[in-house]
């Protein structure tokens, strides 16, 4: 791939803008040598304005999503993409969320431009667990763990029972719930069906990948070891 197309596809600018950047010497290798448009330099050795290029296709981002942000590129109001560099919006292939968190749910949210990886994470066959912590409006009645683990729980307007889920009680109104599927507003609907109401909800882990070191509203690129934790 020609250098101009490579950098443009990463969202750093139009092809014309990248050509101008190359002309002005803003694209170099790690030794500081100015690169020409036909350079054969390896992706990892290219600098744009003295900074390494973003990863090529296969990039995975972990965000600690704050409350009030929508997982969309088109909705009104605050969007999770507003928290990422502008160039991430125009990458080719596009950067997409892997699943979603609703506006009133915070925590671990993944993005990728790798369609195969996206489908691998969300596929029911992968059985990637998602762990949530929830604050409840009222104390537990004691039957929730058995109900959620039964594999027989039905949600309103659905015709297939939920997969067994594990409930850990942290205190009377604070729980940790591990799901093995991702239905619409599942945690909130499960507790509503059990006669309670979720007042705050955070996803803490996707697989074994947690949010250690990622503050609310911040994000990080995942390396191979971190990515492997999703499927561990």
């Amino acid at each position: 791939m020609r250098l101009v197309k490579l950098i443009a596809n990463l969202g750093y600018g139009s092809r014309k803008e990248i050509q101008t950047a190359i002309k002005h010497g803003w694209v170099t290798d790690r030794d500081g040598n100015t690169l020409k448009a036909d350079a054969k330099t390896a992706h990892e050795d290219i600098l744009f304005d003295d900074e390494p290029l973003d990863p090529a296709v296969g990039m995975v981002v972990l965000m600690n999503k704050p409350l009030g942000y929508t997982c969309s590129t088109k909705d009104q109001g605050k969007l999770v993409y507003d928290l990422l560099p502008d160039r991430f919006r125009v990458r080719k292939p596009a950067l997409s969320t892997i699943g979603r968190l609703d506006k009133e749910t915070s925590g671990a949210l993944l993005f990728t431009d790798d369609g195969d990886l996206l489908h691998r994470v969300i596929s029911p066959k992968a059985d990637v667990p998602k762990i949530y912590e929830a604050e409840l409006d009222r104390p537990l009645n004691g039957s929730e763990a058995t109900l959620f683990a039964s594999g027989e729980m039905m949600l309103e307007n659905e015709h297939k029972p939920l997969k067994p889920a594990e409930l850990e009680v942290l205190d009377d109104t604070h729980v940790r719930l591990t799901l093995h599927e991702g239905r619409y507003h599942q945690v909130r609907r499960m507790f509503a069906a059990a006669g309670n109401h979720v007042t705050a909800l955070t996803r803490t882990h996707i697989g074994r990948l947690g949010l250690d070191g990622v503050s609310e509203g911040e994000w990080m690129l995942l390396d191979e070891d971190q990515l492997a934790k999703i499927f561990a």
Side-chain angles (χ1 to χ4, degrees):
M1 182 183 295
R2 293 185 68 235
L3 187 62
V4 173
K5 184 178 179 181
L6 168 67
I7 300 176
N9 281 357
L10 295 176
Y12 287 89
S14 67
R15 294 194 187 190
K16 183 175 180 179
E17 289 169 334
I18 300 306
Q19 288 172 339
T20 299
I22 291 173
K23 181 179 179 181
H24 284 83
W26 300 339
V27 182
T28 63
D29 63 19
R30 290 186 178 274
D31 295 325
N33 300 308
T34 300
L35 297 180
K36 303 298 183 183
D38 58 353
K40 305 295 185 182
T41 308
H43 185 117
E44 61 272 17
D45 293 328
I46 300 171
L47 304 184
F48 186 90
D49 200 16
D50 296 326
E51 295 292 334
L53 291 182
D54 296 329
V57 176
M59 181 172 78
V60 184
V61 172
L62 171 66
M63 176 184 287
N64 188 345
K65 175 192 171 297
L67 295 175
Y69 283 78
T70 303
C71 296
S72 171
T73 58
K74 299 178 181 178
D75 289 352
Q76 299 296 317
K78 297 186 291 186
L79 309 179
V80 291
Y81 291 92
D82 297 337
L83 302 171
L84 297 171
D86 289 342
R87 64 183 181 273
F88 283 13
R89 288 179 182 247
V90 291
R91 282 176 63 100
K92 297 178 183 178
L95 190 69
S96 302
T97 61
I98 301 179
R100 293 192 171 201
L101 293 177
D102 65 55
K103 190 175 182 179
E104 301 309 320
T105 301
S106 61
L109 179 66
L110 293 173
F111 301 74
T112 189
D113 56 2
D114 184 337
D116 290 340
L117 175 65
L118 187 154
H119 291 295
R120 183 183 170 202
V121 175
I122 66 175
S123 170
K125 293 181 180 179
D127 193 23
V128 174
K130 286 86 173 178
I131 302 176
Y132 296 81
E133 290 192 11
E135 293 285 351
L136 305 174
D137 184 51
R138 294 181 293 282
L140 297 163
N141 62 35
S143 66
E144 293 89 354
T146 300
L147 175 63
F148 294 169
S150 68
E152 299 176 354
M153 184 178 186
M154 297 287 294
L155 295 178
E156 186 177 358
N157 298 323
E158 295 199 10
H159 306 287
K160 183 179 179 180
L162 298 175
K163 289 184 178 181
E166 298 85 51
L167 181 70
E168 179 184 354
V169 178
L170 303 177
D171 61 46
D172 284 351
T173 58
H174 183 198
V175 300
R176 182 177 292 124
L177 184 64
T178 302
L179 302 183
H180 300 273
E181 57 188 331
R183 302 198 198 182
Y184 180 72
H185 289 175
Q186 184 172 341
V187 175
R188 299 180 190 278
R189 294 168 69 201
M190 288 172 70
F191 280 103
N196 212 323
H197 174 69
V198 174
T199 58
L201 185 62
T202 299
R203 183 160 68 190
T204 62
H205 290 77
I206 300 172
R208 291 179 54 204
L209 179 68
L211 287 164
D212 294 344
V214 185
S215 301
E216 186 176 279
E218 299 297 320
W219 59 273
M220 66 181 293
L221 293 172
L222 298 186
D223 60 27
E224 290 298 323
D225 291 338
Q226 292 164 325
L227 184 60
K229 290 182 179 180
I230 297 172
F231 303 100

